[in-house]
Amino acid sequence: MTEIYPTIAQCAVVATAFKILLFPAYKSTDFEVHRNWLAITNSLSPWEWYYEKTSEWTLDYPPFFAYFEWALSQAAKLADPAMLRVHNLNYDSWQTVYFQRFTVIATELVLVYALQLYVETTQGVARRAAQAAAISILLSPGLLIIDHIHFQYNGAMYGILIASLVLARKKKLLASGLVFAALLCMKHIYLYLAPAYFAYLLRVYCLSPKSVFDIQFWNCVKLGGGILTIFGAAFGPFAIRGQIPQILSRLFPFSRGLCHAYWAPNVWAMYSFTDRVLIYVAPRLGLPVKAEALHSVTRGLVGDTAFAVLPEITPRICFGLTVVFQVIPLIKLFRNPTPDAFIGAVTLCGYASFLFGWHVHEKAILLVIIPFSLIALKDRRHLGAFRPLAVAGHVSLFPLLFTPAEFPIKTVYTILWLVGFLMAFDRLAPASNRRRTILVDRFSILYIAISIPLIIYCSFVHQIIFRKGLEFLPLMFMSSYSAVGVFASWVGFMDVYFTS
């Protein structure tokens, strides 16, 4: 088959060269988090990993990721042994910085492999569209900002997720389920997507295609046994020592507030913005205002979400809304379990958990963007719902990089990515023979036009006008703007999903 250019390998080489130039760039507290985890896993026995608290950045990922950090720490000894001392807090020698930056690039080869697999398993005229989607993920501004500047290892884990989705598309359902189970043992945020896997594997692998009442017993044994084996390998040694409650307390710290420090662009960002507006309108409407909430000027920092006019939101409300809006697409998936419907359900589970979840991190928007990218070019209806998500999701990550030196990098790179790929997508997405009920495209043009002046205001104009006053306002504007785009995209995709 004729090779399509540029190839994924060529793009990976160019991207790597650019990422190496970013080694001296801003790094967040996540850099120290992972340095500390290298030290913990290298210096202490596994039975101390989830109890160690010399640093405030304690180990709070599942055991497979801890093993991953341990493996990296063996190589870290060669770069700078001092980074592996538990009490050497905030240590950032140039050897440490370069080593950690390099490991992000090296482990991202998992993503490169998965994307290549995705393209190779796409046949016919759709192959070119698949290549464009794959390259858009590889060059994603989200991964650049979060992994290669802010600092995390998302690229490798999204590579595992994509590999699992590709295996499901190739009808290798047992392998798909086991790969996803291993991913859950690396980072528990992927639990948000687990309901889609459960529904799809249950219907396609564990039940007969002819009747839901005909159970494929041997398939159930293989899948269930494989998953138990993987979770046993991850958590079993800790369970024997009675450490599971301690691990769970680290993985699920429910004491944190409704909104994360950077205000993820979900319905609670819009809810918080509405509450702030109502503070000024409430006296005219005769609505009561809680005086104690008026002093919460940061409005949205961890553990500090208090509403002055609107009712308080509890974890139970968030959980209930998330479950409801995940179950709705899963019903259709169970009735019509096609590979594309499966990826759509994975995407919608990501949407529901992001939009309605408790203490959602802004970085979790990649749980929606990346799986959606795989089907965004299915037809123009899918692309219409994807457009506002691509803009809103990436713009919402800008507050993560608040230093002046990184402003041109994040802004120029994201704009070039949006222009380049949205134009390419527009040419590659085929027309649909089904009508849209909700015309997200009309909204997208105006929405995208607003983004540039908003970014300029939040990055420069606000500080010139207010100096250090109303510091919460730019973040509130950015999060609320992005939340509108994500929400509109979700509504548009729900319409597409249920009319396909």
Side-chain angles (χ1 to χ4, degrees):
M1 184 175 290
T2 304
E3 189 71 74
I4 302 172
Y5 294 96
T7 66
I8 292 176
Q10 290 169 339
C11 291
V13 170
V14 174
T16 297
F18 178 63
K19 291 165 184 175
I20 289 174
L21 295 176
L22 295 176
F23 276 12
Y26 162 81
K27 57 186 184 298
S28 73
T29 53
D30 279 345
F31 182 88
E32 169 61 13
V33 167
H34 288 279
R35 187 217 57 82
N36 185 51
W37 292 0
L38 286 173
I40 289 172
T41 55
N42 182 266
S43 304
L44 306 175
S45 74
W47 324 124
E48 299 174 90
W49 289 354
Y50 289 96
Y51 288 89
E52 212 292 322
K53 54 181 181 180
T54 300
S55 168
E56 63 179 308
W57 313 119
T58 54
L59 180 60
D60 59 4
Y61 275 23
F64 275 2
F65 197 89
Y67 301 152
F68 167 74
E69 292 279 6
W70 176 85
L72 292 181
S73 74
Q74 306 310 303
K77 297 176 185 177
L78 304 176
D80 185 353
M83 78 172 82
L84 301 177
R85 297 170 190 161
V86 172
H87 294 277
N88 215 356
L89 302 182
N90 297 310
Y91 184 77
D92 62 349
S93 67
W94 71 264
Q95 295 97 329
T96 302
V97 172
Y98 278 47
F99 173 79
Q100 290 196 232
R101 295 285 198 198
F102 175 76
T103 58
V104 176
I105 294 175
T107 56
E108 204 171 49
L109 289 174
V110 176
L111 177 64
V112 174
Y113 171 76
L115 291 172
Q116 185 63 45
L117 193 65
Y118 166 69
V119 174
E120 290 175 354
T121 56
T122 304
Q123 304 300 324
V125 296
R127 188 182 176 95
R128 183 175 293 276
Q131 178 112 344
I135 294 175
S136 78
I137 294 173
L138 179 64
L139 303 181
S140 164
L143 288 175
L144 182 78
I145 290 171
I146 296 173
D147 282 10
H148 300 281
I149 302 179
H150 192 267
F151 197 84
Q152 281 192 357
Y153 291 92
N154 290 287
M157 287 181 282
Y158 279 108
I160 297 172
L161 174 65
I162 292 171
S164 174
L165 295 173
V166 171
L167 288 168
R169 188 167 72 165
K170 293 174 64 178
K171 306 298 183 185
K172 297 181 178 180
L173 300 173
L174 177 61
S176 174
L178 298 184
V179 168
F180 183 71
L183 179 61
L184 291 178
C185 293
M186 285 199 73
K187 192 170 183 179
H188 50 301
I189 194 174
Y190 293 98
L191 278 170
Y192 291 149
L193 311 181
Y197 273 85
F198 176 80
Y200 187 66
L201 293 176
L202 174 65
R203 181 64 189 90
V204 177
Y205 189 70
C206 296
L207 301 178
S208 170
K210 297 180 181 179
S211 173
V212 296
F213 300 105
D214 184 5
I215 299 174
Q216 304 291 313
F217 180 75
W218 181 236
N219 285 355
C220 293
V221 171
K222 288 189 291 183
L223 181 60
I227 291 173
L228 287 176
T229 300
I230 289 171
F231 274 82
F235 293 93
F238 300 95
I240 292 172
R241 291 179 174 258
Q243 294 188 0
I244 296 301
Q246 174 64 18
I247 292 177
L248 293 178
S249 70
R250 288 282 182 88
L251 300 184
F252 304 102
F254 290 112
S255 60
R256 294 178 180 177
L258 171 65
C259 298
H260 186 244
Y262 289 104
W263 281 42
N266 57 14
V267 296
W268 308 128
M270 295 188 287
Y271 191 85
S272 299
F273 179 80
T274 303
D275 183 73
R276 176 57 70 178
V277 172
L278 286 176
I279 290 175
Y280 301 98
V281 179
R284 300 179 183 180
L285 301 178
L287 298 174
V289 178
K290 301 172 190 173
E292 63 274 14
L294 296 177
H295 301 292
S296 178
V297 294
T298 51
R299 307 304 307 285
L301 294 178
V302 177
D304 190 33
T305 306
F307 298 107
V309 180
L310 296 176
E312 297 294 333
I313 302 298
T314 66
R316 187 170 297 180
I317 292 173
C318 294
F319 179 76
L321 289 171
T322 301
V323 169
V324 167
F325 288 111
Q326 285 190 340
V327 167
I328 292 172
L330 295 185
I331 293 173
K332 181 183 178 180
L333 175 64
F334 197 81
R335 292 177 176 174
N336 183 33
T338 65
D340 281 352
F342 172 49
I343 297 177
V346 167
T347 302
L348 286 171
C349 282
Y351 266 117
S353 57
F354 184 84
L355 284 170
F356 303 101
W358 176 268
H359 193 74
V360 175
H361 287 232
E362 66 293 323
K363 297 181 283 289
I365 191 61
L366 294 183
L367 283 172
V368 186
I369 294 175
I370 288 180
F372 198 166
S373 297
L374 300 178
I375 55 173
L377 292 172
K378 183 178 179 181
D379 58 40
R380 299 194 70 80
R381 296 195 311 153
H382 285 75
L383 179 58
F386 180 77
R387 252 192 223 102
L389 172 69
V391 176
H394 291 117
V395 168
S396 72
L397 298 173
F398 280 15
L400 290 174
L401 306 181
F402 49 82
T403 49
E406 280 67 42
F407 176 80
I409 298 173
K410 69 182 181 183
T411 307
V412 174
Y413 186 89
T414 301
I415 291 174
L416 290 175
W417 184 93
L418 288 170
V419 171
F421 282 102
L422 291 184
M423 288 179 65
F425 283 10
D426 197 58
R427 291 195 301 270
L428 292 169
S432 173
N433 56 4
R434 295 179 181 270
R435 297 181 61 184
R436 286 172 291 182
T437 305
I438 302 173
L439 300 177
V440 181
D441 282 357
R442 310 288 175 83
F443 158 83
S444 297
I445 297 172
L446 175 62
Y447 184 78
I448 294 172
I450 295 173
S451 64
I452 301 300
L454 178 69
I455 292 170
I456 293 172
Y457 172 82
C458 293
S459 301
F460 300 110
V461 177
H462 178 86
Q463 189 173 7
I464 294 172
I465 296 175
F466 296 102
R467 296 187 180 275
K468 293 185 178 181
L470 300 176
E471 290 179 300
F472 69 90
L473 205 56
L475 185 56
M476 178 180 282
F477 282 159
M478 191 75 79
S479 297
S480 299
Y481 164 83
S482 300
V484 170
V486 175
F487 186 82
S489 173
W490 172 65
V491 172
F493 187 51
M494 285 282 277
D495 171 51
V496 171
Y497 188 76
F498 282 97
T499 56
S500 296

